[in-house]
Amino acid sequence: MKLHVILFCLLTATVARAGTVEVERDPKTNWQVYTLTQAKTTAKVIPEAGCNLFSFCVEDVEYLRVPDELSRVPGVGFGTPILYPTPNRVRGAQFSFQGRRFRFPPNSAGNFIHGLVHSVPWRVTGSSVNDEQATLNAELVFDAKMKGFDKFPLRHRIGLSITVASGSVRWVYSVDNSEGTTPVPFGFALHPYFLYQGDRAKTFLTVPATHWMKSEKRLPLGELVPLGQTPFDLRKPISFGQLKLDDVFFGMQPDKPVVVEFRDMKRRLVLESDEAFTHLVVYTPNQPFFCVENQTCSTDAHNLASAGKNREAHLQICPPGQVRKGWVRFVVETN
């Protein structure tokens, strides 16, 4: 009898630890909503709405701006929109690459903003769970069937793996040009809308970058200014109450993550990434949310690269027959 009780307890503990991936269909939009859960951490994703991870809860605390209607998930106002292949703004809504011009519909003061993939449907390619995590895999194929392909008509595919573990969520992207015939110039970024947890003035930001990018009308000019020469040296914690930014930072390193401290709530949000993510955008509007955006390149990277500013731009290029990958992870820590 005692042996049976021990085995039952071990089995129950294993089941309790195992991650889950659940799917339900929203009756209003008809979209499938995927819920990934591990322990007391839950994330919700709608692949058909730009593969936006629009909710991230740890111990019943929501960290993202969630819309009141799921129909508002596509776009760049809620959750964690994906910015690709042009993170943030493109000057004049166009750029040239290897003698070829790419034009986009102006949607921000004559510029083009936030890329092509945040509102189009992605295809789920699989999911998996184990005792430590839950994972959802999806992809978007750039071909004639995709809305917006005519603006960036380079045949390739972008894959996304989203993994929820206890207290964290991780994105792994892959730009697959293995069947392509021309290079794919791109940038990848996440645009999370984080909620303040407690008082804004008691929320502190640390960005261990090396430089700030001088800009005009929120478009970088290609000049890197050492952080010590700016009024917002974020290498040491600064209160969000003192910050009014919509700016690009340069020189991010994998061993030095971004840290957001919710001091009055005794919580920390750590943003980790690999070496591909050299840039970061910080946006602090007068709203109950803020954005800290890990980017593999600068805003307007394609035009900066065309102007010879390759280091400043850090434009990613995936040659024919190759694949480029990178990752970002959000980690919640409590005191």
Side-chain angles (χ1 to χ4, degrees):
M1 180 65 70
K2 289 183 179 180
L3 178 59
H4 290 166
V5 172
I6 292 172
L7 289 175
F8 175 78
C9 291
L10 289 174
L11 179 60
T12 302
T14 299
V15 172
R17 289 198 306 270
T20 62
V21 178
E22 299 178 342
V23 188
E24 61 180 351
R25 191 172 293 278
D26 176 57
K28 291 185 178 180
T29 63
N30 204 38
W31 292 332
Q32 288 188 318
V33 181
Y34 286 75
T35 301
L36 285 64
T37 302
Q38 173 59 44
K40 296 182 179 180
T41 302
T42 299
K44 294 181 180 291
V45 185
I46 304 181
E48 295 164 280
C51 212
N52 190 330
L53 190 150
F54 67 93
S55 173
F56 175 48
C57 285
V58 180
E59 296 184 348
D60 297 321
V61 176
E62 177 62 67
Y63 285 86
L64 295 174
R65 186 186 186 213
V66 179
D68 52 2
E69 291 283 345
L70 291 186
S71 61
R72 302 178 68 190
V73 169
V76 289
F78 300 93
T80 316
I82 299 167
L83 310 186
Y84 178 90
T86 54
N88 280 294
R89 293 169 181 80
V90 178
R91 184 185 296 274
Q94 59 183 308
F95 67 80
S96 294
F97 178 75
Q98 295 187 349
R100 184 175 183 178
R101 179 146 321 255
F102 296 80
R103 294 182 173 84
F104 304 89
N107 58 8
S108 177
N111 305 306
F112 177 67
I113 192 170
H114 293 334
L116 296 170
V117 307
H118 53 69
S119 299
V120 298
W122 294 53
R123 184 177 73 89
V124 173
T125 57
S127 64
S128 62
V129 299
N130 59 34
D131 288 352
E132 303 297 330
Q133 61 191 34
T135 299
L136 177 69
N137 301 311
E139 72 170 8
L140 179 60
V141 178
F142 272 72
D143 62 16
K145 298 178 182 178
M146 175 195 152
K147 182 180 179 180
F149 176 70
D150 58 320
K151 308 300 186 299
F152 194 69
L154 301 176
R155 293 182 181 273
H156 68 289
R157 65 185 64 217
I158 176 171
L160 199 63
S161 177
I162 300 173
T163 298
V164 170
S166 181
S168 71
V169 60
R170 186 174 189 253
W171 289 258
V172 179
Y173 77 83
S174 62
V175 175
D176 186 343
N177 196 23
S178 57
E179 299 180 1
T181 58
T182 58
V184 176
F186 75 92
F188 179 93
L190 297 178
H191 194 312
Y193 286 80
F194 292 120
L195 297 175
Y196 288 103
Q197 307 292 328
D199 191 341
R200 173 172 178 160
K202 294 179 181 178
T203 304
F204 287 74
L205 176 65
T206 302
V207 176
T210 58
H211 296 77
W212 168 77
M213 298 194 76
K214 188 175 182 180
S215 62
E216 182 178 56
K217 296 181 179 179
R218 291 174 289 183
L219 285 161
L221 300 173
E223 180 181 345
L224 298 177
V225 182
L227 276 187
Q229 300 177 17
T230 72
F232 29 80
D233 186 349
L234 296 173
R235 292 175 296 179
K236 294 184 179 180
I238 294 181
S239 166
F240 274 88
Q242 301 173 251
L243 295 176
K244 186 177 181 180
L245 297 173
D246 191 354
D247 295 79
V248 186
F249 293 83
F250 169 83
M252 302 300 298
Q253 300 175 44
D255 60 340
K256 297 179 180 179
V258 175
V259 178
V260 179
E261 300 173 79
F262 305 107
R263 292 187 177 178
D264 55 342
M265 306 303 290
K266 296 183 179 181
R267 302 184 195 130
R268 285 167 30 113
L269 178 65
V270 181
L271 278 63
E272 304 172 339
S273 61
D274 72 356
E275 63 275 4
F277 290 86
T278 53
H279 289 69
L280 189 86
V281 170
V282 178
Y283 175 44
T284 61
N286 187 25
Q287 297 287 343
F289 61 82
F290 61 94
C291 302
V292 180
E293 309 162 36
N294 295 92
Q295 300 194 173
T296 62
C297 64
S298 169
T299 295
D300 199 30
H302 295 77
N303 283 314
L304 290 179
S306 293
K309 302 286 186 177
N310 293 311
R311 175 171 176 257
E312 296 85 350
H314 200 238
L315 180 67
Q316 304 293 289
I317 299 174
C318 187
Q322 296 191 24
V323 178
R324 291 287 184 268
K325 295 183 178 182
W327 61 267
V328 174
R329 187 166 82 123
F330 300 164
V331 183
V332 172
E333 300 174 351
T334 56
N335 297 335

